[in-house]
Amino acid sequence: MFEDKTYKRCACKGPLTNEEGKPLLNEDGTRKIGYLEKRCPKLKKRDHGSWYYSIELPAGPGGERRRPKKGGFKTQEKAAAAAAKVYQEAMAGIDVLSDQTVGDYLRRWLGNQHDLKATTKKSYEDYLRLYFTPYLGHIKLRELRPRHIEEMFAAIQADNKVKEKNQAAAQLAREAEKKAHAAWRDATAPRDPQLRETWNEAKAHLKAALARPRRQTGPATQHRIKMALSSAVEDARKRRMITDNWASMIQTPRARKPKALEWTAARVEAWRKTGKKPSPVMVWTPEQTGKFLDSVVYDRLYPLWVIIAFLGLRRGEACALSWAEVDLDAGVIHITEEIVTVAYEPHEDTPKSDNIRDISLDEDTIALLQWWRGRQQAEKQEWLESTGEWTDSGRVFTLEDGTEYHPQYFSDRFERLYKKVDLPPIRLHDLRHGSATLALRAGVAMVTVQRRLGHSSIRVTSDIYTTVLAEVEREAAEATVSVVPRSRKRVIPQPQTEDKAAGEEQQEDPEAAEEAPDVPTEDAA
């Protein structure tokens, strides 16, 4: 039976008395002074002290008494309402006497997540260290509310503004350093010592500016932070540690997924003038892709660039591809694992979204991989003859001694190679995106492109390639019209310029008039 006990108390100090009202004395016989609490005579005043509640819950293990208490309420009604809510939570199975903090709970929760991918777990650890512990870690889990989480995201937004200013300051410092360096470099000998001193000061200023935090926590990252917290808090709710998943109620800035844009001639020209990319995700045109592949024909990793450009493998998937998963007779490769990096350390994992898939090979790629396997065997023989050792990693793409590549090497080498032929910048991952645009242009069905790339849904594929789809749809519209054979078409008169209209009277095309179907005029209708 619920019975709330509410009472007033204050923080006033004065002579203390026992339950019988007699004064309490110190060892030396003087009156003992302490907090009067409920015995303060001023509590009868309306604005003095605050209200508390104390409720009795069913006994715990071993008959342990359980009595939740809390104060600080302005009115007796508010204290009574809070007491009723706590009792209801206790009856629902929530441990209302628990002192576990959000930080302690999240650390234990993360330690028990055994099925997370290595990259996901590293991200969660970063969120715990950078956001959850500083802003929420000290709060008792049972007292967590939406306002606490909103305050965390407000702090992230405020921190972003500081980082934005740091970024602008770093850019100014970089420009000043370049200007000072150019002044020293272009000065005639003997150079003025002041120029060197100015350049040194500019370098020191730039170093200090670059040391300040500049990387902002963008909308997409904020959304992932919220979802990670929501997942943990939802588990706490299911375990009846709290009443609601407060994190699910929070709204974060909308994260807009970048669209893949092609490096058209106009965009390339603008980039050369400003140095700015139109979108974080840029893809080459077929001509630019061809130019790159032509330039790397004799690069040792030419087969790698081909399968990423045409088959759309992720960097980690190409790095992890083993000969055991390559069936050249059937013309198919099986994507069953991926090598990911966590703090630069490579780890074997299943493909993203656990999307194990098969990719069919064209005849040219089959021949290329056959040649590559032969070259790898020749390198093995040469290495054994010269060193007596060769690492049998089983991977398709290896160093000359058979050891695995680090995935980052592929990205770094790719950047060096395309810069040599003055192509506009893309990431190695964008070369994979380019394979999708090539397939769509070739008329490959969207669902086939989705399966080849290993996207979790066809919506992901269509969202990324919306801009490319517009061009494909225009081509499809033209192709649809061209299917129907026509012997007669209506001639659409071309609009005349003002000069032509003024200088000569428009002549009706008799052939067009003869072939055009009769169209009733408004008068005839």
Side-chain angles (χ1 to χ4, degrees):
M1 178 68 70
F2 169 65
E3 180 181 357
D4 69 290
K5 293 182 180 180
T6 56
Y7 54 89
K8 280 184 92 176
R9 64 192 302 178
C10 67
C12 295
K13 286 187 177 182
L16 301 179
T17 59
N18 59 20
E19 295 179 355
E20 298 174 356
K22 295 181 179 181
L24 295 176
L25 305 176
N26 294 314
E27 293 181 358
D28 59 0
T30 58
R31 292 287 299 270
K32 183 174 288 187
I33 304 299
Y35 290 105
L36 297 178
E37 298 182 338
K38 293 185 289 185
R39 298 183 179 89
C40 180
K42 296 180 182 179
L43 288 179
K44 293 180 181 180
K45 297 181 179 180
R46 185 175 182 180
D47 59 348
H48 189 77
S50 59
W51 284 94
Y52 287 69
Y53 70 75
S54 173
I55 58 178
E56 193 78 26
L57 298 178
E64 180 183 359
R65 195 174 186 184
R66 302 169 66 223
R67 296 180 63 189
K69 299 179 182 179
K70 191 174 181 179
F73 300 97
K74 290 185 177 181
T75 65
Q76 185 177 19
E77 289 76 13
K78 289 182 178 180
K85 183 178 180 181
V86 170
Y87 185 81
Q88 291 172 358
E89 292 176 354
M91 293 302 98
I94 295 174
D95 185 1
V96 295
L97 293 174
S98 172
D99 289 329
Q100 185 180 37
T101 64
V102 174
D104 291 337
Y105 167 73
L106 290 178
R107 279 187 288 272
R108 194 178 76 247
W109 175 83
L110 184 56
N112 291 328
Q113 302 305 301
H114 305 297
D115 295 332
L116 292 178
K117 288 182 173 292
T119 50
T120 303
K121 188 167 186 178
K122 178 62 169 58
S123 296
Y124 283 10
E125 289 171 350
D126 289 342
Y127 301 159
L128 181 62
R129 174 175 55 87
L130 297 173
Y131 309 109
F132 300 152
T133 298
Y135 298 114
L136 306 174
H138 60 286
I139 302 170
K140 291 182 181 179
L141 179 62
R142 59 187 173 87
E143 295 179 355
L144 180 68
R145 292 297 182 271
R147 64 181 178 85
H148 299 126
I149 305 172
E150 289 171 345
E151 288 170 0
M152 178 185 74
F153 282 107
I156 291 174
Q157 295 285 6
D159 197 35
N160 277 344
K161 293 181 179 179
V162 174
K163 292 176 179 177
E164 186 177 8
K165 292 180 180 179
N166 292 343
Q167 199 170 41
Q171 181 61 30
L172 291 175
R174 186 178 288 108
E175 292 173 359
E177 188 275 336
K178 288 182 179 179
K179 184 177 180 180
H181 177 226
W184 175 85
R185 181 195 60 208
D186 299 337
T188 57
R191 293 188 178 97
D192 185 350
Q194 183 62 38
L195 293 174
R196 181 72 187 202
E197 185 177 344
T198 302
W199 182 27
N200 288 337
E201 290 176 356
K203 286 192 292 184
H205 185 62
L206 175 60
K207 183 177 180 181
L210 294 176
R212 301 187 188 101
R214 291 169 290 123
R215 185 173 182 178
Q216 300 182 44
T217 306
T221 303
Q222 290 184 49
H223 177 72
R224 288 191 289 268
I225 291 170
K226 172 199 166 181
M227 296 309 296
L229 182 62
S230 179
S231 179
V233 175
E234 178 63 18
D235 280 359
R237 186 194 67 80
K238 290 178 180 178
R239 295 170 182 267
R240 296 179 179 268
M241 302 172 73
I242 55 175
T243 56
D244 295 281
N245 182 352
W246 307 112
S248 65
M249 305 176 185
I250 305 302
Q251 289 188 346
T252 57
R254 183 179 177 183
R256 300 181 182 275
K257 294 182 179 179
K259 304 295 184 182
L261 297 180
E262 276 195 335
W263 275 116
T264 60
R267 288 171 180 153
V268 172
E269 183 180 359
W271 163 74
R272 295 194 188 282
K273 292 180 179 178
T274 65
K276 295 180 180 180
K277 294 170 60 176
S279 169
V281 181
M282 298 299 298
V283 295
W284 285 332
T285 62
E287 293 76 18
Q288 291 162 343
T289 302
K291 180 179 179 181
F292 170 74
L293 293 177
D294 288 347
S295 70
V296 296
V297 164
Y298 296 107
D299 183 72
R300 183 173 179 275
L301 289 178
Y302 174 67
L304 171 75
W305 312 131
V306 168
I307 68 168
I308 294 179
F310 290 115
L311 304 184
L313 271 65
R314 296 182 177 91
R315 179 184 75 172
E317 293 170 347
C319 195
L321 185 63
S322 66
W323 284 114
E325 301 300 336
V326 177
D327 189 342
L328 295 179
D329 294 330
V332 65
I333 59 176
H334 311 287
I335 306 301
T336 59
E337 62 179 328
E338 182 177 11
I339 294 180
V340 298
T341 56
V342 178
Y344 199 73
E345 288 295 324
H347 297 269
E348 293 183 5
D349 206 339
T350 54
K352 190 175 181 180
S353 303
D354 293 326
N355 209 325
I356 296 174
R357 62 196 190 278
D358 298 339
I359 301 178
S360 298
L361 304 176
D362 60 279
E363 293 297 330
D364 288 345
T365 304
I366 292 173
L368 183 60
L369 288 176
Q370 288 173 337
W371 169 84
W372 172 250
R373 183 162 59 182
R375 171 166 178 170
Q376 192 180 59
Q377 291 299 316
E379 289 178 345
K380 173 182 177 180
Q381 189 61 36
E382 292 176 5
W383 204 265
L384 288 172
E385 292 175 357
S386 60
T387 66
E389 295 180 358
W390 193 81
T391 303
D392 189 5
S393 64
R395 305 295 186 192
V396 172
F397 300 107
T398 63
L399 293 162
E400 289 85 345
D401 64 353
T403 56
E404 300 176 354
Y405 277 106
H406 190 287
Q408 186 60 37
Y409 177 83
F410 292 162
S411 297
D412 294 341
R413 181 156 186 79
F414 173 72
E415 183 176 0
R416 290 195 298 270
L417 290 172
Y418 79 70
K419 284 183 176 180
K420 284 184 178 180
V421 287
D422 196 30
L423 283 166
I426 67 170
R427 305 166 302 167
L428 179 58
H429 196 73
D430 295 334
L431 190 63
R432 158 184 158 85
H433 287 314
S435 73
T437 66
L438 294 174
L440 291 171
R441 277 201 172 86
V444 178
M446 178 68 72
V447 67
T448 303
V449 175
Q450 174 222 335
R451 286 198 298 263
R452 176 185 288 184
L453 295 181
H455 286 158
S456 57
S457 70
I458 196 169
R459 181 178 178 180
V460 174
T461 311
S462 61
D463 283 349
I464 295 174
Y465 306 113
T466 299
T467 52
V468 178
L469 284 176
E471 182 176 337
V472 173
E473 288 172 357
R474 284 195 299 271
E475 294 174 355
E478 296 290 345
T480 302
V481 173
S482 66
V483 168
V484 179
R486 300 289 302 277
S487 61
R488 301 178 70 193
K489 287 186 180 181
R490 177 166 185 151
V491 177
I492 307 299
Q494 297 297 320
Q496 292 183 322
T497 63
E498 294 182 1
D499 294 340
K500 184 175 181 180
E504 61 182 73
E505 184 179 350
Q506 182 177 355
Q507 299 295 321
E508 182 178 357
D509 185 345
E511 184 176 349
E514 183 181 17
E515 291 185 355
D518 293 333
V519 180
T521 63
E522 291 182 0
D523 294 337

